[in-house]
Amino acid sequence: MIDLSVKIGSLCLKNPVITASGCYGVGREYGELYDPSKLGGIVTKTITLRPREGNSPPRICETAAGMLNSIGLANSGVGAFIRDDIPFLRKLECARIVSIAGEGLDEFAELIRRLDPLGEIDGFEINVSCPNVERGGLAFGTDPDVVGKLVDSIRPLTQKPLWVKLTPNVTDIVKIGKAAVDSGADALCAINTLLGMAIDIDTKKPMIGNVVAGLSGPAILPVALMKVFQLHTALPETPIVGIGGIGYPKDAITHMIAGACAVQIGSGQFPYPMLPLDTVAGIETYCVIKGLSKAQEITGSLILPVK
Ligand SMILES: Cc1cc2nc3c(=O)[nH]c(=O)nc-3n(C[C@H](O)[C@H](O)[C@H](O)COP(=O)(O)O)c2cc1C
């Protein structure tokens, strides 16, 4: 019997597989295919204080080994989330992590104040890839001081786990991750999408209404692995949740070998909806083949070349 459980700070997950924000809703639709409670956890679509319409269409397009999206955090706002989605989350027996974003520090704080009392929420994922109005629209997550201040300001408002989801669109992701951990983040999630664009040669127009969009899917796996490896190497005591480019169960195992204690699966579910469940099985099979009794033994097991 393999022990698939994983501890991320104070939170215990039954296995290391989580669905990524924006790619699973709250699990209603995928719930028709399989029981989301079989997963380690889910991260809900990022919500904001007020409803947001999001960016102008087209919002997604397929690219080589991946896709671009520029949804622009379209969501119905925290009030509708509490009314419509919390009753659904109540039924789930896996970790329910709610992703939040604000335009300024006060909005993040207000979201935590409204959501913290709800027993259906097991933790928060702080999406710092969103534009910060106070910084002229630059993403929060590109400046270690801003990330530090943000975590400092919300840490006293909740005892629940705070995970900070990092953007890869920075020179040094370790500096940003360290700032979050120094201010009290319980875990780092890496990575959000990479910025990119695509062009139609007939119309000479960008394929995405917002011109620039976020790249995800198998194309970003090597980048994600490197960022996870860098974070785990610099912050070996900090739980790292690996995200990016998981298209097959074996990709999740590479994230864990690089240093992730758990993984999140995003756009890989679109062509392969059973991927999260198959990944749970794949991790278990890998442990059997490698003679491991616990999935956590995979984390950080990378063998580096001897210099
Ligand atoms: C359509 C779409 C919507 C997304 N929405 C969010 C979101 O609301 N919040 C967030 O933190 N990440 C969002 N993401 C990013 C994913 O959670 C994930 O970090 C990224 O896609 C990389 O993982 P993947 O290669 O497995 O898709 C979204 C991604 C896609 C494809």
Side-chain angles (χ1 to χ4, degrees), residues 20-23 45-46 67 69 71 73 127 165 191-193 216-217 220 243-245 266-267:
S21 181
C23 302
K45 166 84 191 153
T46 300
M67 64 176 283
N69 91 80
I71 309 293
L73 297 182
N127 178 359
K165 181 166 177 184
I191 56 176
N192 212 313
T193 52
S216 64
I220 73 167
I243 318 168
S267 44

Side-chain angles (χ1 to χ4, degrees), residues 2-307:
I2 309 293
D3 177 5
L4 290 177
S5 69
V6 41
K7 251 189 135 247
I8 306 179
S10 57
L11 198 60
C12 193
L13 273 57
K14 62 170 81 96
N15 63 62
V17 181
I18 307 166
T19 52
S21 181
C23 302
Y24 196 74
V26 291
R28 232 182 234 106
E29 296 77 9
Y30 285 95
E32 290 176 16
L33 293 177
Y34 66 90
D35 179 2
S37 297
K38 293 195 165 138
L39 302 175
I42 66 163
V43 181
T44 59
K45 166 84 191 153
T46 300
I47 51 165
T48 51
L49 204 51
R50 283 174 288 278
R52 280 175 64 103
E53 287 215 345
N55 293 333
S56 45
R59 293 178 175 189
I60 57 168
C61 97
E62 199 168 336
T63 59
M67 64 176 283
L68 286 170
N69 91 80
S70 175
I71 309 293
L73 297 182
N75 78 99
S76 313
V78 67
F81 176 79
I82 294 173
R83 188 189 63 223
D84 302 335
D85 293 330
I86 286 291
F88 181 83
L89 291 181
R90 192 169 299 147
K91 293 181 268 176
L92 299 190
E93 289 167 18
C94 62
R96 298 148 303 178
I97 309 297
V98 172
S99 169
I100 59 167
E103 290 185 351
L105 300 189
D106 49 337
E107 283 197 16
F108 277 97
E110 183 57 23
L111 280 162
I112 299 266
R113 273 190 212 102
R114 302 236 346 230
L115 295 167
D116 186 56
L118 305 175
E120 293 83 356
I121 298 175
D122 299 305
F124 297 105
E125 186 176 83
I126 311 305
N127 178 359
V128 293
S129 295
C130 51
N132 177 356
V133 167
E134 289 149 24
R135 297 182 67 219
L138 270 180
F140 281 87
T142 54
D143 182 332
D145 293 339
V146 174
V147 169
K149 266 193 205 126
L150 169 59
V151 180
D152 275 339
S153 68
I154 54 178
R155 182 68 282 181
L157 305 178
T158 181
Q159 307 266 4
K160 289 182 179 172
L162 280 181
W163 298 1
V164 174
K165 181 166 177 184
L166 303 173
T167 168
N169 304 308
V170 292
T171 313
D172 186 356
I173 199 166
V174 168
K175 269 195 193 147
I176 315 277
K178 203 166 174 312
V181 171
D182 287 347
S183 295
D186 297 286
L188 299 173
C189 306
I191 56 176
N192 212 313
T193 52
L194 283 153
L195 290 175
M197 62 187 285
I199 296 168
D200 180 327
I201 62 165
D202 280 329
T203 61
K204 297 187 180 176
K205 287 185 180 162
M207 302 284 280
I208 296 282
N210 193 44
V211 184
V212 169
L215 181 65
S216 64
I220 73 167
L221 178 64
V223 179
L225 288 182
M226 183 190 68
K227 304 283 184 192
V228 166
F229 170 68
Q230 289 173 334
L231 288 164
H232 177 68
T233 306
L235 301 161
E237 305 302 321
T238 301
I240 311 292
V241 179
I243 318 168
I246 298 175
Y248 297 97
K250 69 177 172 56
D251 302 331
I253 295 168
T254 61
H255 264 278
M256 293 180 74
I257 294 173
C261 62
V263 294
Q264 288 181 20
I265 300 179
S267 44
Q269 295 175 88
F270 301 156
Y272 181 180
M274 297 301 282
L275 176 59
L277 214 52
D278 286 359
T279 301
V280 178
I283 292 170
E284 188 165 18
T285 305
Y286 182 78
C287 288
V288 172
I289 292 168
K290 293 289 181 189
L292 309 175
S293 58
K294 293 180 184 161
Q296 283 310 280
E297 291 172 54
I298 307 172
T299 298
S301 60
L302 184 70
I303 300 173
L304 290 168
V306 184
K307 283 201 179 140

